[in-house]
């Protein structure tokens, strides 16, 4: 968002919220950010993002699909 080329914790939280992952509170975002920020510089580089994003997205997209399917009456 700030054109730095890196993601800070606020940008990660905003992105996850925009994706519809409403169940991810500040503690969960902190954990995701800590896992992704391998070098501990409080920023996520593209390389760090490429490692963590597939794991985080897979888990949470499955949760989102289950939630949406249930909300639509498609899951029993």
């Amino acid at each position: 968002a700030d054109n730095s080329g890196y993601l800070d914790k606020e940008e990660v939280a905003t992105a996850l919220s925009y994706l519809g992952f409403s169940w991810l509170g500040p503690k969960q975002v902190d954990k995701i950010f800590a896992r992704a920020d391998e070098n501990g510089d409080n920023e996520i580089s593209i390389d760090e993002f490429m490692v963590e994003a597939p794991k985080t997205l897979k888990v949470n997209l499955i949760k989102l699909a289950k939630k949406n399917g249930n909300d639509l009456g498609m899951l029993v």
Side-chain angles (χ1 to χ4, degrees), residues 2-75:
D2 62 5
N3 292 316
S4 69
Y6 295 90
L7 295 172
D8 62 28
K9 197 178 295 183
E10 185 177 319
E11 291 169 324
V12 170
T14 300
L16 293 170
S17 175
Y18 284 162
L19 287 168
F21 302 159
S22 57
W23 54 87
L24 294 177
K27 287 182 183 181
Q28 290 86 1
V29 172
D30 287 347
K31 288 179 184 179
I32 292 167
F33 192 87
R35 275 196 317 263
D37 185 18
E38 293 178 351
N39 64 2
D41 65 355
N42 292 316
E43 298 179 321
I44 298 176
S45 68
I46 186 66
D47 293 331
E48 291 169 325
F49 179 83
M50 295 301 289
V51 171
E52 182 58 32
K55 296 178 226 173
T56 297
L57 290 174
K58 180 179 179 182
V59 168
N60 287 288
L61 286 171
I62 290 170
K63 286 182 184 180
L64 184 62
K66 287 180 180 179
K67 178 185 178 299
N68 288 343
N70 191 32
D71 289 349
L72 294 172
M74 301 175 117
L75 298 175

